[in-house]
Amino acid sequence: MSGLWPGDVQCVVNLGFDIDGQSNWIGRDPANRDRPVLMTMGDYGPKVGVHHILGLMDDYGLKASFFVPGYTAEQYPELVRDIESRGHEIAGHGYMHERPAELTLEQEIEALDRGLEALEKVVGHKITGYRIPGGDASEHSMSLLAERGIVYDSSLMDDDAPYIMKTDKGDLVQIPFHWLLDDFPFYAFVPAADLRGPMCSPVSVARTWIAEFDGLYKEGRCMVLVMHPQVTGHPSRLAGLERTIRHMLTKPNVAFMRAADIAEHWLSRNA
Ligand SMILES: [Zn+2]
């Protein structure tokens, strides 16, 4: 055991899925609403991809974290409630996937509150976890989250285990990730948004993620995978994720935890 985790646990894995749907594309440019290919590519996530993902989670008995922009929650309220009723976690992710670093403070506050309000209305309780959209927090983001009683954020990149962040509005558990463990950079081929990524083979992505996992496992750290149903929900990519999960399950004392549970453990450990 590494000493960071409960009991005999050596390494923790968080499977996270950001259900951006259309919001990511509209958030980039409202004129994208008039581009049906882009909009339907986004729709594939909540309409189809997420159901493939939920099936995979059920096959392995795993619980995941789903980060949901307010706009997606308004479009697919039943889906969001269904995900939560299956034991997965619902956490915040902006309203229209606004990137705080590109906003004024007033705009950031408006997007944050609107997103949380929309999501809370759908699930019927307070949201306590968050991932900043677009991996682009502002200098204010963390204290704004703490001020709203958010318990953890999973958006920064300076560690591979959680830590407690001090802000001027209170403490926050930070659960860092890295682009290396995000599906978008590997697969993002979206000409209408001028993203012409390499469209990597899922086998090579799984190989990369497995190599990263092996290192994190050895060191007893935390692997935070950031995936998107419109990206990883496609069958070949899902097979790449399954390959990664199967590898993880060959190792003893690996715990798959929802980000909320990681945060709770971290707070009790540091109490
Ligand atoms: Zn997102």
Side-chain angles (χ1 to χ4, degrees):
M1 64 172 206
S2 69
L4 296 183
W5 307 113
D8 292 335
V9 173
Q10 167 68 15
C11 182
V12 164
V13 178
N14 172 242
L15 301 173
F17 299 93
D18 302 357
I19 316 181
D20 295 343
Q22 296 180 347
S23 73
N24 177 27
W25 308 116
I26 299 172
R28 278 169 177 252
D29 182 356
N32 283 336
R33 284 181 190 273
D34 300 327
R35 302 176 98 150
V37 173
L38 207 44
M39 290 297 94
T40 52
M41 182 191 155
D43 281 332
Y44 181 88
K47 270 175 73 178
V48 180
V50 77
H51 298 288
H52 293 330
I53 288 164
L54 289 168
L56 180 69
M57 296 298 104
D58 286 351
D59 288 348
Y60 289 87
L62 304 175
K63 301 299 178 209
S65 301
F66 289 80
F67 297 84
V68 187
Y71 185 73
T72 302
E74 287 174 351
Q75 284 190 306
Y76 297 91
E78 289 305 325
L79 172 70
V80 173
R81 285 191 284 265
D82 177 50
I83 292 171
E84 192 173 62
S85 73
R86 290 164 175 248
H88 303 295
E89 171 195 5
I90 299 294
H93 196 49
Y95 179 74
M96 197 62 85
H97 207 270
E98 303 85 354
R99 295 159 184 250
E102 296 172 355
L103 304 177
T104 64
L105 176 58
E106 290 69 28
Q107 289 170 326
E108 179 175 3
I109 290 170
E110 196 195 328
L112 173 61
D113 288 340
R114 191 177 177 196
L116 288 172
E117 208 179 292
L119 194 52
E120 287 173 356
K121 199 171 159 194
V122 166
V123 295
H125 60 77
K126 188 173 160 41
I127 293 295
T128 56
Y130 206 81
R131 173 166 291 140
I132 299 286
D136 212 359
S138 80
E139 63 194 295
H140 309 293
S141 298
M142 297 305 140
S143 65
L144 290 174
L145 292 175
E147 190 178 27
R148 280 148 185 79
I150 297 289
V151 175
Y152 79 84
D153 169 73
S154 178
S155 310
L156 302 183
M157 300 207 175
D158 56 342
D159 208 334
D160 43 30
Y163 61 90
I164 306 279
M165 287 189 82
K166 302 272 175 210
T167 84
D168 57 353
K169 301 291 182 186
D171 291 357
L172 200 64
V173 179
Q174 179 58 230
I175 306 175
F177 85 113
H178 188 272
W179 293 124
L180 172 67
L181 299 177
D182 186 312
D183 58 1
F184 231 94
F186 294 103
Y187 296 129
F189 182 82
V190 192
D194 208 25
L195 296 170
R196 294 168 198 273
M199 191 87 88
C200 293
S201 150
V203 174
S204 77
V205 175
R207 209 178 286 137
T208 300
W209 287 354
I210 285 169
E212 188 70 8
F213 169 78
D214 284 347
L216 293 170
Y217 179 85
K218 188 172 163 224
E219 300 291 336
R221 311 299 282 180
C222 183
M223 175 127 167
V224 178
L225 276 171
V226 177
M227 296 166 284
H228 302 77
Q230 64 181 282
V231 176
T232 287
H234 290 276
S236 60
R237 294 159 178 183
L238 206 64
L241 172 60
E242 183 171 8
R243 180 187 285 243
T244 308
I245 290 169
R246 288 175 76 101
H247 173 83
M248 292 166 167
L249 291 171
T250 63
K251 305 273 189 180
N253 304 322
V254 173
F256 288 81
M257 291 170 75
R258 304 176 309 174
D261 301 325
I262 295 174
E264 194 185 314
H265 166 69
W266 211 259
L267 286 172
S268 67
R269 177 182 184 274
N270 287 278

